[in-house]
Amino acid sequence: MGPAQALTGLTLDGGWKVIGLAPRQKNATGGFFSVGYNVLHPDGRDAYLKAMDYSAAVSSPVHMALALKALTEAYLFEKNLCLRCRDQSLKRVVHAIDSGTARLNPADPLSTVEYLIFEKADTDIRGHLDAQAN
């Protein structure tokens, strides 16, 4: 189990409490290099946390540096895209409402997890397309 799978029960910067793993629908998109959680803010907001799982890259049989580069670029791209969507006031796009970094073991830099916190959505893009097809 990597550090991204061990966030349940933690309180993150900004006061977000990690409640537990978010249920995944069998046809859900994404999630290969991330773990989803339900989180709750002290002000009552209920949100979705996407924790990046870098542990697979560290144990990559190919080239660890290239695997880490791909994952960090994906995280930064998504974070920047969320910021741009928020700045554009797009109404039908789920917005990232917070982001941060958690280190589960202060003595172990490999226990670091970067995360994005999103407004909750009814479904992902695959669920939306499946509903339109029916």
Side-chain angles (χ1 to χ4, degrees):
M1 178 167 83
Q5 291 83 18
L7 299 180
T8 298
L10 294 180
T11 299
L12 305 170
D13 291 344
W16 293 98
K17 173 82 172 179
V18 182
I19 304 302
L21 291 171
R24 284 184 54 85
Q25 306 222 357
K26 65 176 184 166
N27 64 344
T29 58
F32 188 69
F33 290 111
S34 64
V35 180
Y37 290 92
N38 291 313
V39 293
L40 185 63
H41 194 270
D43 66 10
R45 286 181 290 165
D46 186 25
Y48 173 81
L49 179 143
K50 179 178 182 177
M52 296 303 292
D53 184 1
Y54 295 140
S55 62
V58 172
S59 59
S60 173
V62 181
H63 196 284
M64 183 179 79
L66 290 176
L68 281 170
K69 180 179 185 247
L71 285 174
T72 54
E73 284 178 350
Y75 169 78
L76 292 171
F77 174 81
E78 187 166 5
K79 183 177 178 180
N80 290 330
L81 180 63
C82 290
L83 290 172
R84 289 182 69 192
C85 289
R86 184 177 63 207
D87 292 343
Q88 298 297 320
S89 299
L90 300 174
K91 293 179 177 37
R92 297 189 67 170
V93 174
V94 172
H95 296 280
I97 52 180
D98 207 347
S99 63
T101 302
R103 184 174 288 183
L104 302 180
N105 177 352
D108 181 7
L110 295 179
S111 72
T112 300
V113 176
E114 292 185 300
Y115 59 86
L116 297 167
I117 297 176
F118 295 93
E119 300 170 324
K120 282 233 173 145
D122 296 330
T123 187
D124 65 6
I125 188 66
R126 183 163 292 150
H128 178 72
L129 292 173
D130 288 349
Q132 284 187 330
N134 293 328

